[in-house]
Amino acid sequence: MFTIGRKLLSSQFKHKFEVASKLCRQQITRNSGAYHGDGKTKVNILNQELDLGLMINTYSQDGFRLNNGLNVIGPMAIFPRTVMSWNIATADDINEESLSLFQVLDPKIEILVIGIGDTAATPALSARINAITRKLNINVEVLGTDSACATFNFLNAEQRLVAGAMIPPTVLRFNENDVLQSKLRQNQLYQNED
């Protein structure tokens, strides 16, 4: 089922890309008399990976914001092309039943990244989760949510078969740079209104 959805998304994306390419070619042929010397305008495409999939942009106590603009409230299970709500409240609720979803995926995931909120992964919690995932034959990495989001994004950008199980933190910590950046953005917004 996962594979069928992935192929469907790929074919839809391929069609949109072909239409955009055709329009670009038409535009180039219409402007064939344009200047082609040293002063020619050049476009550099920085990101040629057109289909990176879902990435986690930000997180808060309420949930997560993804790169496609979607806001997910509460804990989530995230995959390269799909996201869904994960029905747990805390890391203590992680058990065989809550992780069984990750066992039945096709294609089988290479690694599951679990973000346990803002609590540290204690040896007892890590041992309990590792015992469950060994039984389910799933490779796992247990991290705080901030590190887990970055790890998921990195592995997904490398096009690995990764899944994430993320719990939002209960407390957010700000440093001086975060406060400064927020004030600069706020000032820029007010300047744009004038």
Side-chain angles (χ1 to χ4, degrees), residues 53-133:
L54 293 176
M55 300 281 186
I56 304 166
N57 280 354
T58 61
Y59 61 90
S60 69
Q61 293 109 330
D62 296 327
F64 303 87
R65 178 173 297 173
L66 306 181
N67 63 338
N68 64 355
L70 181 70
N71 291 321
V72 180
I73 306 297
M76 70 172 176
I78 185 169
F79 310 95
R81 305 277 177 262
T82 308
V83 63
M84 60 183 70
S85 192
W86 191 31
N87 192 19
I88 65 165
T90 66
D92 295 330
D93 296 332
I94 298 173
N95 56 33
E96 189 172 341
E97 183 181 353
S98 67
L99 294 175
S100 63
L101 161 71
F102 303 101
Q103 180 189 24
V104 297
L105 296 173
D106 185 41
K108 185 180 181 310
I109 60 172
E110 294 175 29
I111 188 164
L112 171 63
V113 181
I114 299 178
I116 58 170
D118 53 1
T119 60
T122 63
L125 177 65
S126 294
R128 185 173 64 81
I129 292 173
N130 283 331
I132 294 168
T133 55

Side-chain angles (χ1 to χ4, degrees), residues 1 14 117:
M1 185 171 182
K14 183 178 177 185

